[in-house]
Amino acid sequence: EEQGGSRRPYVFGPRNLRSIIRSDHGFVKALRPFDEVSRLLRGIRNYRVAIMEVNPRAFVVPGFTDADGVGYVAQGEGVLTVIENGEKRSYTVRQGDVIVAPAGSIMHLANTDGRRKLVIAKILHTISVPGKFQYFSAKPLLASLSKRVLTAALKTSDERLGSLLGSRQGKEEEEKSISIVRASEEQLREL
């Protein structure tokens, strides 16, 4: 917008956000790197702003980013699980809460509200490449492992593994690209 003569070089609207993850159950959108949207902001090129919106009773599958993040829960409520250095911590998050997401920590999130969307605004500090971040879903990794390896590694039964991960049959290519899915009541209880 700066090139278009905007007098608001520090204000960015919805059209400035690009889709990172999209499914029928939610999305993640991010503002382009600051140094690309305004030369006035080139000093903060290692930071990005992202918005996550998760529909009621939906689940963000386990994954991680190569960026440290701080998030503000703008609307809704859910359960956030963070696995860092082998330690698993789960938190109920509500509107007004601030959450921290260290780079490389595995996280998953469930919107436990049956009526309202869960909306989280994030500031990400990119680690690998200035201004660029990647989201890595654990789903393709898990799909590549045998059921025997998963039950041993996760120390759980076949039935419980099936209820947590759902069916591994069918549209594998589609599942690899979708990171926000509908969750059953049983799956939400397990989380």
Side-chain angles (χ1 to χ4, degrees):
E1 286 188 4
E2 185 182 68
Q3 284 75 19
S6 173
R7 294 182 186 200
R8 298 170 21 140
Y10 300 108
V11 178
F12 305 96
R15 75 171 201 246
N16 296 106
L17 298 170
R18 292 183 175 167
S19 186
I20 304 296
I21 298 170
R22 177 165 286 292
S23 82
D24 292 340
H25 305 289
F27 64 80
V28 176
K29 292 182 177 182
L31 184 64
R32 291 187 350 240
F34 284 118
D35 61 331
E36 289 180 18
V37 293
S38 172
R39 70 174 189 262
L40 297 171
L41 301 173
R42 67 182 171 267
I44 56 173
R45 64 183 271 213
N46 293 342
Y47 292 85
R48 297 286 298 274
V49 172
I51 304 293
M52 175 186 288
E53 186 174 289
V54 181
N55 288 349
R57 301 287 187 211
F59 173 66
V60 180
V61 301
F64 63 94
T65 64
D66 61 347
D68 292 322
V70 175
Y72 173 76
V73 181
Q75 175 182 300
E77 105 176 22
V79 174
L80 170 70
T81 300
V82 179
I83 303 168
E84 183 181 23
N85 299 324
E87 184 180 333
K88 177 182 166 184
R89 297 178 305 275
S90 292
Y91 308 96
T92 298
V93 295
R94 292 182 178 85
Q95 184 173 335
D97 288 349
V98 173
I99 56 179
V100 176
S105 58
I106 297 172
M107 294 178 291
H108 56 83
L109 175 72
N111 180 348
T112 55
D113 191 314
R115 295 175 287 130
R116 293 179 50 178
K117 292 182 179 189
L118 177 60
V119 179
I120 299 175
K122 301 178 188 181
I123 296 177
L124 301 165
H125 178 245
T126 60
I127 303 297
S128 302
V129 179
K132 308 275 187 224
F133 71 91
Q134 287 186 304
Y135 174 79
F136 302 94
S137 173
K139 202 166 190 175
L141 173 64
L142 293 175
S144 70
L145 300 173
S146 72
K147 204 171 206 181
R148 188 180 325 165
V149 168
L150 285 171
T151 56
L154 301 174
K155 298 178 184 172
T156 190
S157 68
D158 282 349
E159 298 83 33
R160 188 160 183 216
L161 182 66
S163 71
L164 286 171
L165 299 178
S167 172
R168 294 170 54 182
Q169 316 276 331
K171 306 174 186 174
E172 285 190 43
E173 287 305 311
E174 183 181 318
E175 287 181 358
K176 286 180 183 180
S177 65
I178 297 176
S179 297
I180 303 173
V181 298
R182 178 84 175 141
S184 68
E185 288 299 320
E186 181 182 348
Q187 289 169 319
L188 289 171
R189 276 194 304 276
E190 289 289 332
L191 296 168

